[in-house]
Amino acid sequence: MKNKIVFFSCFILMSLTSFSQSISSSPYSLYGVGSLYDSDFGSIPSIGSSGIALPSNNFINNLNPASLGSMPLNHFMLDVGGKAIATTYQNNSRSEKRNNFQFSHLAFAFPITKRSAFSVALRPYSSASYKISNLKLPIADSNESYYLTAGGTGGLNNFDFSYGYRVTEKLSVGASAALLFGNVVDDRTFSILNSITNVHKKTDYNGLRATLGMQYKIDSTLTIGATFKLPAQIKSSKIQTVETITDDVYNAIETDVASDVDDYYLPSEIGVGISKKFKKVLTTTFDYQKSLWKDTKQSDLYGEFVNQDRFAFGLTYFNEKRNFRKYWDRVQYSAGANFDTGYLEVDGKRVNDASISIGVRLPIENTFSALNISYSYGQKGRIANDLIKENYHKLSINLSLDGIWFVKRKFE
């Protein structure tokens, strides 16, 4: 069964790669450094991206570094994933469909002592991949309008190191440091009456961000968790080319000019979570996260940054009393929901995101190794003058592999 599962998971990941050659695409990745990325590990995508209070006892929990304090000794865990997304974009006049494949993450974790563990992960932080044609926008303090055509690619990567320590049998704490780096290439054309301005810009970003976490086990069925992400300043620099065409007369304003640009600021983020188990069969998870974007005192050319609230809820069914010699008795079933108010306000309207999800965790032999498959359906944005509604179907595939280190085999 192990070889069949591994072969099946590799086949799916290869199929997802051929599903499309592009990365995430969304008109909303026009803003800031792109759309923020949800690269959750293990079965977290199937429970609405909740799990701040879940331990890393059989998978790597990327939502809270304190979870590493629960990692079993002598186990080495590896998690790799990808996802395919089919999206329909709608506005007042038309709709368009796109298919995309996204690399999700690559991570590994291992214990240092029986009370502590360490993990390393590489994943996207944001994705900027968009193409907008002839978007009509008003000129401030005027009754006139101009037209925008824009295209962009790139985004930021997140390379983080996490450490968790179990202080007591009930309390675990943890911390992580993330290196954020990458670039965004942006091409925009502004058309006003008989004048056209073309702007080609490449912006490079790099910076550090820290996260603190804790988990407290109230009893064998109830755990609470909390995280705090510190605000961060992401250094920015750009190379820009600007040209204008007025009445068929070409004029080069700038050609590959390097200059400083306003740094990008990430906000303070506070998260709390609860995990409750019922009769060793059903586990519920609930998370709430708040991101204080308004405190960064920054805005985008076409929108304002506002404080963000995220709510996540999950249900997991796994009967610990069933016969573990039967394969299907060891399968885990999950469902969840997520609502995100968004951190952008365009023309006074929030760009929110709501989704529901289901999934299964297929075990590989008698280890913690498993193939996690989840499906999500969601809606982002709304149909309005300057907004687009996205309806998306998402298939996430995460392969979690577990290895045993430094254990001698015993023969009787």
Side-chain angles (χ1 to χ4, degrees):
M1 178 62 71
K2 177 180 179 179
N3 292 334
K4 291 181 180 180
I5 294 294
V6 173
F7 175 80
F8 177 64
S9 60
C10 293
F11 172 78
I12 292 180
L13 290 173
M14 291 176 63
S15 299
L16 290 179
T17 304
S18 62
F19 180 71
S20 174
Q21 297 301 317
S22 62
I23 310 175
S24 168
S25 63
S26 169
Y28 295 112
S29 63
L30 168 73
Y31 301 93
V33 294
S35 299
L36 299 188
Y37 208 88
D38 56 334
S39 51
D40 295 321
F41 303 173
S43 58
I44 289 179
S46 64
I47 52 176
S49 295
S50 61
I52 291 177
L54 291 177
S56 290
N57 55 356
N58 61 6
F59 79 106
I60 305 173
N61 182 359
N62 62 290
L63 299 181
N64 191 342
S67 66
L68 292 169
S70 302
M71 188 172 177
L73 192 62
N74 298 323
H75 285 255
F76 177 89
M77 295 184 182
L78 174 69
D79 206 294
V80 61
K83 49 192 170 184
I85 302 179
T87 309
T88 300
Y89 303 94
Q90 295 176 292
N91 61 13
N92 288 321
S93 59
R94 64 172 190 168
S95 65
E96 180 181 341
K97 294 183 179 181
R98 296 181 189 174
N99 298 328
N100 298 280
F101 169 72
Q102 303 177 357
F103 164 75
S104 177
H105 62 274
L106 174 64
F108 65 87
F110 55 89
I112 300 175
T113 68
K114 65 179 181 179
R115 288 181 174 270
S116 64
F118 178 79
S119 73
V120 178
L122 176 63
R123 47 184 166 159
Y125 176 80
S126 68
S127 175
S129 179
Y130 53 88
K131 186 176 182 180
I132 299 174
S133 300
N134 295 321
L135 176 63
K136 185 178 180 180
L137 296 169
I139 299 176
D141 302 322
S142 171
N143 294 326
E144 301 295 328
S145 299
Y146 68 96
Y147 291 88
L148 168 69
T149 296
T153 58
L156 268 63
N157 302 298
N158 184 336
F159 186 48
D160 65 68
F161 303 84
S162 300
Y163 174 78
Y165 178 74
R166 191 170 75 252
V167 181
T168 68
E169 292 304 315
K170 292 189 175 183
L171 176 64
S172 295
V173 296
S176 66
L179 171 63
L180 300 174
F181 63 96
N183 61 70
V184 174
V185 177
D186 182 271
D187 290 287
R188 302 191 186 190
T189 299
F190 303 88
S191 302
I192 304 175
L193 299 177
N194 62 339
S195 177
I196 298 175
T197 301
N198 296 317
V199 180
H200 172 81
K201 179 175 62 175
K202 178 182 178 182
T203 307
D204 292 298
Y205 299 92
N206 66 85
L208 295 172
R209 194 183 196 189
T211 301
L212 305 176
M214 62 80 63
Q215 288 183 342
Y216 185 78
K217 191 174 182 180
I218 297 177
D219 57 38
S220 60
T221 65
L222 179 62
T223 302
I224 59 174
T227 58
F228 177 65
K229 293 185 178 180
L230 278 66
Q233 181 178 359
I234 309 301
K235 297 292 184 180
S236 308
S237 62
K238 71 176 181 180
I239 297 176
Q240 181 171 279
T241 297
V242 181
E243 60 184 28
T244 63
I245 303 174
T246 304
D247 294 328
D248 296 327
V249 178
Y250 171 82
N251 184 25
I253 307 299
E254 296 178 347
T255 302
D256 292 334
V257 176
S259 61
D260 293 330
V261 66
D262 291 340
D263 292 337
Y264 190 75
Y265 292 88
L266 298 178
S268 303
E269 295 185 17
I270 303 170
V272 293
I274 299 174
S275 172
K276 174 66 176 177
K277 183 176 293 186
F278 296 93
K279 296 182 179 180
K280 296 185 178 182
V281 173
L282 185 67
T283 300
T284 61
T285 50
F286 176 78
D287 290 358
Y288 169 73
Q289 294 174 285
K290 189 170 188 72
S291 302
L292 304 177
W293 284 94
K294 195 172 183 179
D295 290 349
T296 63
K297 302 185 186 307
Q298 61 186 347
S299 63
D300 190 89
L301 180 61
Y302 310 109
E304 296 290 332
F305 287 88
V306 293
N307 291 341
Q308 178 184 22
D309 298 287
R310 297 182 64 187
F311 304 87
F313 176 74
L315 293 171
T316 301
Y317 176 81
F318 180 70
N319 192 343
E320 298 181 6
K321 300 179 181 179
R322 298 178 72 174
N323 186 357
F324 276 67
R325 294 183 179 180
K326 297 181 179 180
Y327 179 80
W328 292 106
D329 284 355
R330 295 186 285 120
V331 174
Q332 175 181 292
Y333 305 91
S334 304
N338 186 291
F339 180 74
D340 183 351
T341 63
Y343 61 95
L344 282 173
E345 190 173 81
V346 181
D347 196 21
K349 299 180 178 64
R350 288 288 191 107
V351 182
N352 53 35
D353 190 347
S355 64
I356 56 175
S357 56
I358 57 173
V360 294
R361 176 181 172 88
L362 303 174
I364 301 175
E365 287 194 342
N366 296 317
T367 66
F368 296 144
S369 298
L371 175 64
N372 299 280
I373 305 175
S374 68
Y375 162 79
S376 303
Y377 171 75
Q379 295 182 347
K380 182 177 181 179
R382 67 181 74 186
I383 298 177
N385 291 334
D386 298 326
L387 293 179
I388 294 174
K389 183 178 180 180
E390 299 180 16
N391 295 281
Y392 58 86
H393 301 268
K394 182 190 303 182
L395 179 66
S396 300
I397 308 293
N398 291 343
L399 179 62
S400 302
L401 297 176
D402 171 46
I404 307 297
W405 282 15
F406 310 119
V407 175
K408 294 182 179 180
R409 294 183 178 272
K410 296 182 179 180
F411 298 93
E412 293 184 359

